[in-house]
Amino acid sequence: MFGVIDLPTYLAGLVLIILLPGPNSLYVLSVAARRGIRAGYTAAAGVWCGDAALMTLSAAGVASLLKANAVLFGIVKYAGAGYLTWLAVGMLRAAWGMWRTRREQTAGEAAPAPAAGERPFRRALIVSLFNPKAILFFVAFFVQFVDPGYAYPALSFVVLGAFAQVASVLYLSALIFGGTKLSAAFRRRKRLSATATSAAGALFFGFAAKLSLASG
């Protein structure tokens, strides 16, 4: 079908890959837990747009350029790692504020206001785009399921990308609705919220370190 081969194997691998935790899914879950379904889907839209751009760049051959040009790969890599570090610092600062004020919240108090200036779509989009390994992954994974004899390989990439986006929509939707369930507990228990936010910040530091140590 459209130059795609061994579709069941591709779908099975795709499910496993989508379920692996990463900065995108973690950020969407965090936004949904703190700000609700609408904000969660705003962040998810940033992920989907970023992934669509990376898939398009992969099909256009940018992955080969990044792999061949160590300087370009390094620039994108360290920019992405720096942004993830900045997000991690922001999460840890927010968590520290929660720890300091955890005894001040009384039962029935309104939920805390969203972080000033936070733009979930933009943040999620930047996290997605500043990940050169994702471009290399897309081309390396997709090419295994493209018939080398098919006349229009770009169309094969589009089909594979469409399946990937559908899987991402389903998975992030589950995280968003799960995150809103957590939000009620977070509002009632500042310590739980602070602990979860601290853990998210630590994980983002880990993602930043992993990306900065990645090789092309």
Side-chain angles (χ1 to χ4, degrees):
M1 180 182 69
F2 301 111
V4 175
I5 57 176
D6 204 2
L7 184 59
T9 301
Y10 168 76
L11 294 177
L14 183 63
V15 169
L16 293 176
I17 292 163
I18 291 292
L19 291 177
L20 289 175
N24 291 339
S25 57
L26 183 62
Y27 181 66
V28 170
L29 177 60
S30 172
V31 170
R34 290 182 289 111
R35 300 181 55 181
I37 292 176
R38 183 174 180 178
Y41 270 109
T42 300
V47 173
W48 297 327
C49 289
D51 285 350
L54 294 185
M55 292 175 194
T56 301
L57 292 174
S58 298
V62 173
S64 299
L65 176 62
L66 283 175
K67 195 169 185 178
N69 191 321
V71 174
L72 179 60
F73 182 88
I75 290 172
V76 177
K77 177 179 71 173
Y78 288 116
Y83 189 73
L84 289 176
T85 300
W86 181 74
L87 288 180
V89 170
M91 289 180 179
L92 292 178
R93 288 179 61 187
W96 174 245
M98 294 175 192
W99 282 111
R100 292 180 60 186
T101 61
R102 66 185 184 278
R103 293 187 179 89
E104 297 175 6
Q105 186 178 28
T106 58
E109 184 180 356
E118 183 179 15
R119 296 179 175 85
F121 177 87
R122 187 181 68 177
R123 287 194 176 188
L125 179 63
I126 293 175
V127 169
S128 295
L129 292 178
F130 279 88
N131 187 0
K133 297 298 287 186
I135 302 178
L136 298 178
F137 164 77
F138 280 131
V139 72
F141 184 62
F142 283 4
V143 74
Q144 301 176 54
F145 303 96
V146 175
D147 183 355
Y150 188 64
Y152 307 102
L155 180 58
S156 303
F157 270 79
V158 170
V159 173
L160 294 171
F163 279 113
Q165 289 287 54
V166 169
S168 180
V169 168
L170 295 175
Y171 177 58
L172 292 184
S173 293
L175 289 184
I176 289 167
F177 284 98
T180 56
K181 296 291 185 182
L182 293 174
S183 64
F186 286 166
R187 285 195 295 268
R188 290 192 302 268
R189 301 177 62 185
K190 275 292 189 75
R191 180 171 295 181
L192 174 63
S193 181
T195 301
T197 305
S198 299
L203 282 174
F204 267 76
F205 268 124
F207 292 137
K210 183 179 179 181
L211 180 57
S212 66
L213 296 174
S215 59

